[in-house]
């Protein structure tokens, strides 16, 4: 094995640890999980004096020895992808358990990992729509018509969300636009006389947009003592929830101002 005190070897290990930490953080892993993975990778190659600092969009990995090597990565876009986290977790376990695995080979393998989604976007939209329409029934929309219309509206909202996100790369803006579309669909169905009230349809259709997973991850970070990351994630979830409320509110308020009755 390469001599542990070799500076190039140390930089390669830190680079690998930073890279995998960046990927995990970008795909929604909890801060304590990322920190544990980074430290385990470094420790497996003999570097125990490693400090890790993370914010929701930044990771810094530093060696507090005399050479003071520091690597920093900024995460420009984030999402929740548990499949990617699972793949990275398997990779890190393999690297830690196989101490003879060359770091260069590990970096190459990491760059070439295929993070394929477990389901196609079409399948995700279908099951999301079924879940949304089922929730609409649970909260009072107890008829087939509400179920079917909520199913269609939620599919339209999810497609709109994905399209806008690709253009703007701002999840909050995509959420706002999708929420406005949901409000317009609900109000439009009431206006043409198909539904008596848009409430159940709107409540069911916004369910896929709600930041449930980010909020839970924020709580887990706070419980683990990661205050900065936990507060940041909680604020992010709060902003998304606010965007949903504002989007639906814009549609309904505009309708009422134009003489409509809800």
């Amino acid at each position: 094995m390469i001599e542990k005190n070799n500076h190039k070897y140390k930089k390669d290990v830190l680079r690998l640890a930073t890279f995998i930490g960046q990927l995990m953080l970008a795909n929604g892993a909890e801060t304590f999980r990322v920190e544990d993975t980074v430290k385990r990778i470094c420790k497996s190659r003999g570097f125990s004096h490693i400090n890790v600092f993370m914010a929701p969009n930044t990771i810094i990995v530093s060696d507090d020895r005399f050479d003071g090597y520091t690597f920093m990565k900024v995460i420009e876009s984030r999402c929740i992808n548990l499949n990617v986290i699972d793949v990275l977790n398997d990779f890190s376990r393999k690297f830690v358990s196989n101490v003879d695995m060359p770091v260069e080979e590990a970096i190459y393998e990491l760059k070439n990992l295929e993070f394929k989604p477990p389901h196609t976007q079409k399948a995700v939209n279908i099951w999301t729509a079924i879940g949304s329409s089922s929730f609409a029934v649970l909260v009072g929309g107890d008829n087939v018509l509400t179920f079917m219309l909520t199913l269609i509206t939620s599919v339209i909202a999810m497609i709109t969300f994905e399209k806008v996100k690709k253009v703007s790369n701002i999840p909050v803006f995509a959420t706002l636009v999708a929420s406005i579309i949901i409000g317009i669909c609900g109000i439009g169905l009431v206006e043409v006389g198909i539904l008596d009230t848009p409430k159940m349809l709107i409540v069911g259709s916004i369910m896929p947009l709600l930041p449930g997973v980010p909020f839970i991850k924020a709580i887990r970070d706070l419980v683990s003592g990661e205050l900065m990351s936990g507060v940041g994630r909680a604020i992010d979830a709060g902003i998304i929830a606010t965007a949903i409320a504002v989007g639906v509110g814009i549609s309904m308020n505009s309708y009422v101002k134009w003489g409509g009755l809800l």
Side-chain angles (χ1 to χ4, degrees):
M1 183 180 291
I2 301 174
E3 178 64 33
K4 296 297 185 299
N5 292 325
N6 184 285
H7 285 223
K8 182 182 183 303
Y9 180 74
K10 179 182 288 188
K11 287 191 286 187
D12 287 342
V13 172
L14 293 178
R15 186 178 292 110
L16 171 65
T18 305
F19 186 28
I20 193 171
Q22 173 195 359
L23 292 176
M24 293 182 69
L25 201 59
N27 285 280
E30 299 91 338
T31 300
F32 71 89
R33 185 188 299 274
V34 179
E35 181 177 350
D36 180 67
T37 300
V38 170
K39 287 186 175 181
R40 283 179 183 273
I41 287 176
C42 295
K43 190 174 182 179
S44 70
R45 296 307 186 264
F47 306 120
S48 302
H49 303 276
I50 300 298
N51 293 314
V52 184
F53 173 82
M54 277 168 289
N57 65 338
T58 306
I59 177 171
I60 301 175
V61 179
S62 176
D63 177 15
D64 62 8
R65 291 276 180 97
F66 68 93
D67 44 51
Y69 290 129
T70 300
F71 289 83
M72 182 181 76
K73 286 289 184 179
V74 176
I75 292 86
E76 297 181 354
S77 62
R78 291 170 291 141
C79 65
I80 301 295
N81 193 326
L82 301 182
N83 180 60
V84 173
I85 296 175
D86 181 59
V87 172
L88 292 173
N89 183 61
D90 290 341
F91 172 83
S92 65
R93 288 178 181 274
K94 182 177 72 172
F95 180 80
V96 170
S97 61
N98 184 7
V99 294
D100 294 324
M101 184 178 186
V103 180
E104 294 82 359
E105 178 184 327
I107 294 176
Y108 178 80
E109 183 177 337
L110 184 60
K111 288 181 178 179
N112 288 278
L113 283 177
E114 294 187 13
F115 301 125
K116 293 182 178 179
H119 307 288
T120 64
Q121 188 59 47
K122 183 178 180 180
V124 171
N125 289 340
I126 290 173
W127 289 109
T128 297
I130 294 175
S132 299
S133 50
S134 299
F135 188 83
V137 173
L138 287 175
V139 296
D142 53 351
N143 57 67
V144 176
L145 182 61
T146 301
F147 181 91
M148 295 304 299
L149 292 176
T150 304
L151 188 148
I152 295 171
T153 302
S154 59
V155 169
I156 294 173
M158 289 305 298
I159 292 175
T160 301
F161 176 84
E162 294 297 331
K163 296 293 184 183
V164 175
K165 189 177 177 182
K166 287 181 180 179
V167 174
S168 67
N169 201 30
I170 303 176
V172 174
F173 180 68
T175 302
L176 176 65
V177 175
S179 300
I180 292 174
I181 295 298
I182 291 172
I184 292 174
C185 289
I187 292 169
L189 292 170
V190 171
E191 186 67 18
V192 298
I194 298 178
L195 290 178
D196 296 327
T197 174
K199 295 179 182 178
M200 307 312 168
L201 180 142
I202 291 175
V203 170
S205 298
I206 66 173
M207 290 305 296
L209 301 175
L210 292 176
V213 175
F215 182 74
I216 295 300
K217 289 183 177 294
I219 298 300
R220 291 189 65 180
D221 276 347
L222 288 172
V223 171
S224 301
E226 304 289 349
L227 301 182
M228 180 179 294
S229 178
V231 171
R233 289 177 186 267
I235 292 175
D236 191 24
I239 292 174
I240 293 175
T242 302
I244 296 172
V246 171
V248 174
I250 288 173
S251 301
M252 300 183 73
N253 187 55
S254 300
Y255 177 66
V256 171
K257 284 187 176 181
W258 291 340
L261 296 174
L262 294 175

